[in-house]
């Protein structure tokens, strides 16, 4: 008999029909009730066994974690909690899971710490939490492609191996085929990269933006969505060494168009997940409410998960300049009471404690900060009239901090050339980028959304390692 997926079975509720379902055993209670899940939905189907009439040797192998195929009739459920169940006629064991082995793992049905879950990435997808998070991660990814496709953007695949440092932060992973023990040397003793695979130094990309700009200056509206690598040694709950970034780039657009796009885009994603992942979202929502109830008041979320998503959809983001942000911070209680660890001064970058204050305490909603000092922002951002700030924007989210970084780009050849020189970026690294400003240059803008930070926001997870299947962080590349 053709297999029916549990999601379909629970949606259609075809009482009386004979079905075959395949999945993993979540629980087997009282020698009678098998809870089965196949990953298609967070919900399990209850299969009811008539113990007396079944082969005991087979029933013995129906243990937590084992894979089984069950055939039987769909009936209205007697118990509460589900509207239908399956009356088991036959059970076939597809794959055993030995209880002794299972008892040492996160498959054991009880509460496990997130740390323990992370150590078992090979089984993490099987947990209710892992299933909910990774189904939503998929939905967010799909929503992003749908949003851009529906709005006339083209998906551009930018290279993963690059010869330039787009962000100029020097936090890159080297790509080389040279023998590290015995590299070819030049006369002065330095490594001769000309003998390397690409005939020059290459790295894993930190951003697809520069290449996306080339495409935007021909196709008009484009976006990238790919893996991004940063060798920054920050072991925080918001940083990964390998993460995914979405970077739209739009020709004939300025910083205001950029803000409008970002706000509309982020709202769309929240709305999409609310409409399409209701059950997984409810699970995560309830889980958070329960966890919060066990925390001291000060550590609880101001709003529960679903309300936070709705809030983003229903409300405009606050928009302020960097200069205004500095003023708000300098007039704040924590500043006056010397509670901030880092100084607040025009010209210094905002630290995460400052961003959190603005978003979580002052505005209590997403905030877009624009017009940052040129001194600590990337070379490609457009210089404002004042000569000291650039048309940069950061979007800060409650509980997350910076979720988007973007800018209007410097489209003026002379100004850009000067910047590249000031930043000591070698011409041979970026000549192709500079060239675009010679052939019909136009105002253009774009931004980068950290995919995992967005998934954190919509799932309510507070550690970025819990929203990517195989996290890469300093000293960790297991699995
Ligand atoms: O602010 P960033 O560095 O901006 C850029 O890379 C620009 N080229 C984007 C553009 O204008 N096209 O990074 C963009 C976003 C951040 O706001 C953050 O959400 C995420 O990428 N991000 C990280 N996410 C996880 N781990 C890290 N180490 C991250 N670094 C940045
Ligand atoms: Mg940034």
């Amino acid at each position: 008999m053709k297999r029916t997926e549990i999601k379909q079975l629970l949606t259609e509720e075809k009482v009386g029909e004979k079905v075959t379902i395949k999945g993993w055993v979540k629980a087997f209670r009282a020698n009678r009730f098998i809870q089965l899940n196949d990953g298609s939905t967070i919900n399990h189907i209850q299969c009811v066994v008539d113990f007396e009439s079944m082969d005991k040797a087979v029933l013995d192998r129906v243990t937590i974690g084992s894979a089984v195929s069950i055939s039987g009739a769909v009936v209205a459920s007697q118990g509460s909690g589900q509207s239908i169940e399956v009356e088991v006629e036959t059970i076939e064991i597809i794959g055993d899971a030995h209880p002794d082995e299972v008892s040492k793992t996160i498959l054991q049905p009880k509460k496990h710490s997130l740390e323990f879950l992370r150590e078992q990435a090979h089984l993490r997808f099987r947990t209710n939490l892992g299933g909910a998070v990774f189904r939503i991660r998929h939905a967010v990814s799909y929503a992003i492609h749908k949003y851009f496709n529906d709005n006339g953007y083209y998906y551009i695949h930018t290279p993963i191996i690059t010869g330039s440092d787009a962000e100029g932060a020097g936090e890159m992973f080297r790509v080389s085929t040279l023998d590290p023990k015995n590299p070819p040397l030049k006369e002065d003793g330095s490594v001769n990269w000309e003998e390397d695979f690409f005939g020059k130094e290459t790295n894993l990309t930190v951003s697809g933006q520069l290449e996306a700009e080339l495409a935007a200056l021909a196709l008009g509206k484009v976006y990238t969505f790919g893996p991004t690598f940063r060798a920054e040694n920050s072991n925080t709950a918001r940083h990964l060494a390998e993460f995914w970034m979405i970077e739209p780039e739009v020709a004939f657009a300025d910083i205001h168009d950029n803000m409008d796009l970002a706000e509309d885009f982020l709202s769309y994603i929240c709305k999409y997940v609310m409409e399409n992942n209701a059950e997984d979202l409810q699970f995560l929502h309830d889980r958070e409410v329960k966890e919060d109830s066990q925390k001291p008041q000060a550590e609880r979320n101001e709003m529960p998960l679903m309300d936070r998503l709705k809030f983003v959809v229903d409300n405009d983001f606050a928009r302020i300049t960097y200069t205004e942000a500095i003023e708000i911070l300098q007039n704040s209680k924590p500043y006056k009471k010397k509670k901030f660890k880092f100084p607040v001064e025009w010209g210094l970058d905002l630290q995460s404690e400052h961003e959190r204050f603005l978003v979580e305490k002052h505005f209590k909603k997403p905030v877009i900060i624009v017009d940052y000092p040129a001194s600590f922002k990337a070379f490609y951002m457009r210089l404002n009239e004042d000569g000291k700030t650039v048309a940069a924007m950061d979007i800060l989210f409650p509980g997350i901090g910076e979720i988007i970084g973007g800018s209007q780009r410097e489209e003026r050849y002379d100004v850009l050339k000067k910047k590249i020189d000031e930043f000591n970026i070698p011409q041979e690294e970026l000549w192709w980028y500079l060239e675009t400003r010679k052939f019909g240059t136009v105002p253009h803008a774009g931004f980068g959304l950290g995919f995992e930070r967005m998934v954190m926001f919509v799932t309510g997870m507070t550690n970025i390692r819990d929203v990517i299947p195989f996290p890469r962080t300093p000293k960790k590349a297991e699995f």
Side-chain angles (χ1 to χ4, degrees):
M1 201 190 307
K2 193 173 169 287
R3 171 188 171 214
T4 306
E5 287 190 18
I6 294 172
K7 183 178 179 176
Q8 188 191 345
L9 191 66
L10 292 173
T11 314
E12 295 178 351
E13 297 189 345
K14 285 192 179 151
V15 172
E17 200 179 34
K18 283 264 171 93
V19 291
T20 295
I21 45 182
K22 296 181 182 180
W24 294 274
V25 175
K26 283 284 185 170
F28 187 13
R29 285 184 294 113
N31 278 331
R32 194 162 160 76
F33 303 107
I34 301 171
Q35 301 291 339
L36 205 63
N37 188 281
D38 65 3
S40 60
T41 160
I42 190 152
N43 299 312
H44 313 327
I45 180 81
Q46 173 155 291
C47 306
V48 185
V49 179
D50 174 20
F51 189 74
E52 298 311 319
S53 68
M54 301 293 294
D55 179 345
K56 302 296 174 290
V58 172
L59 282 188
D60 276 350
R61 291 167 65 197
V62 180
T63 55
I64 292 165
S66 59
V68 300
S69 173
I70 290 180
S71 297
V74 180
V75 296
S77 181
Q78 308 293 310
S80 61
Q82 65 273 326
S83 56
I84 55 160
E85 55 195 26
V86 171
E87 242 170 30
V88 179
E89 280 165 28
T90 62
I91 299 182
E92 188 193 318
I93 308 291
I94 301 174
D96 289 286
H98 201 283
D100 289 349
E101 299 271 355
V102 168
S103 69
K104 291 177 224 147
T105 71
I106 56 175
L107 296 183
Q108 191 64 20
K110 59 170 201 184
K111 195 169 160 31
H112 304 289
S113 71
L114 293 169
E115 289 77 16
F116 195 41
L117 252 60
R118 265 173 239 146
E119 284 167 20
Q120 296 182 16
H122 57 304
L123 299 172
R124 188 165 60 151
F125 296 104
R126 287 268 196 98
T127 62
N128 290 337
L129 182 65
V133 166
F134 294 115
R135 274 187 297 269
I136 290 184
R137 184 181 163 107
H138 159 79
V140 174
S141 162
Y142 177 75
I144 288 167
H145 285 298
K146 180 164 167 52
Y147 178 87
F148 286 124
N149 184 65
D150 291 353
N151 286 289
Y153 287 70
Y154 301 108
Y155 181 23
I156 298 295
H157 299 94
T158 49
I160 289 175
I161 302 173
T162 68
S164 54
D165 179 2
E167 292 305 304
E171 293 161 333
M172 296 180 298
F173 290 99
R174 183 183 298 288
V175 175
S176 171
T177 54
L178 294 182
D179 178 358
K181 279 199 228 105
N182 190 22
L185 300 178
K186 290 202 271 201
E187 275 183 4
D188 65 2
S190 62
V191 175
N192 185 4
W193 297 110
E194 280 174 29
E195 286 193 34
D196 204 348
F197 189 91
F198 295 105
K200 61 189 256 183
E201 288 191 73
T202 48
N203 304 290
L204 294 178
T205 186
V206 294
S207 159
Q209 176 200 321
L210 304 187
E211 290 88 353
E213 281 187 53
L214 271 58
L217 292 171
L219 298 168
K221 292 191 289 190
V222 302
Y223 72 104
T224 72
F225 189 163
T228 310
F229 307 87
R230 296 203 183 167
E232 49 191 334
N233 209 347
S234 27
N235 225 331
T236 79
R238 290 161 206 197
H239 288 87
L240 290 164
E242 177 179 306
F243 63 102
W244 288 66
M245 185 153 61
I246 299 95
E247 298 183 274
E249 192 68 36
V250 185
F252 310 106
D254 65 14
I255 189 74
H256 301 285
D257 301 318
N258 210 25
M259 287 191 268
D260 292 345
L261 171 66
E263 200 171 328
D264 187 54
F265 174 53
L266 295 175
S267 301
Y268 177 88
I269 297 172
C270 293
K271 199 159 159 220
Y272 185 90
V273 171
M274 282 162 65
E275 284 170 4
N276 294 278
N277 298 79
E279 289 172 335
D280 286 323
L281 205 54
Q282 186 72 52
F283 169 82
L284 293 165
H285 177 96
D286 295 344
R287 176 184 175 276
E288 188 189 273
V289 169
K290 200 168 152 211
E291 302 246 304
D292 269 3
S293 71
Q294 288 153 7
K295 285 184 189 163
Q297 190 71 38
E299 287 170 33
R300 293 182 194 167
N301 288 285
E302 293 245 345
M303 271 183 227
L305 177 60
M306 299 237 243
D307 299 41
R308 293 203 295 280
L309 299 192
K310 195 166 177 313
F311 189 87
V312 168
V313 176
D314 292 344
N315 292 278
D316 289 342
F317 298 1
R319 296 185 184 191
I320 55 168
T321 63
Y322 165 87
T323 305
E324 285 164 346
I326 294 292
E327 279 163 16
I328 294 169
L329 288 167
Q330 287 180 338
N331 286 316
S332 71
K333 259 201 204 139
Y335 179 80
K336 288 181 177 158
K337 289 189 172 166
K338 301 198 166 24
K339 286 269 164 67
F340 288 136
K341 249 175 77 190
F342 293 90
V344 179
E345 206 179 296
W346 203 99
L348 297 181
D349 203 354
L350 300 177
Q351 300 297 322
S352 107
E353 57 176 355
H354 309 136
E355 297 180 339
R356 293 194 74 147
F357 172 82
L358 291 169
V359 174
E360 288 158 26
K361 296 279 180 294
H362 188 82
F363 288 103
K364 294 187 193 287
K365 61 165 156 174
V367 180
I368 312 183
I369 304 181
V370 284
D371 299 338
Y372 283 84
S375 56
F376 58 80
K377 286 290 186 184
F379 74 93
Y380 52 71
M381 297 184 175
R382 192 178 198 279
L383 193 63
N384 286 327
E385 298 286 294
D386 62 15
K388 54 181 192 177
T389 62
V390 286
M393 65 173 204
D394 274 6
I395 303 189
L396 315 177
F397 260 35
I400 307 291
E402 182 192 330
I403 199 160
I404 274 183
S407 66
Q408 186 173 335
R409 319 305 188 189
E410 185 54 77
E411 86 284 13
R412 298 162 294 187
Y413 181 87
D414 296 336
V415 186
L416 183 61
K417 171 87 175 55
K418 199 161 152 255
K419 265 287 193 67
I420 288 179
D421 293 343
E422 277 169 18
F423 276 68
N424 290 321
I425 302 169
Q427 279 279 325
E428 61 270 24
E429 224 181 78
L430 282 183
W431 65 269
W432 50 273
Y433 181 71
L434 200 51
E435 281 293 284
T436 57
R437 274 54 174 176
K438 287 198 208 157
F439 302 92
T441 188
V442 303
H444 60 289
F447 60 81
L449 168 68
F451 182 61
E452 283 76 19
R453 292 195 187 172
M454 189 67 203
V455 179
M456 283 172 79
F457 184 73
V458 296
T459 58
M461 301 305 289
T462 52
N463 193 314
I464 200 163
R465 295 168 178 81
D466 299 323
V467 300
I468 185 162
F470 303 99
R472 265 87 186 96
T473 51
K475 302 275 179 287
K476 274 238 152 55
E478 191 77 35
F479 303 105

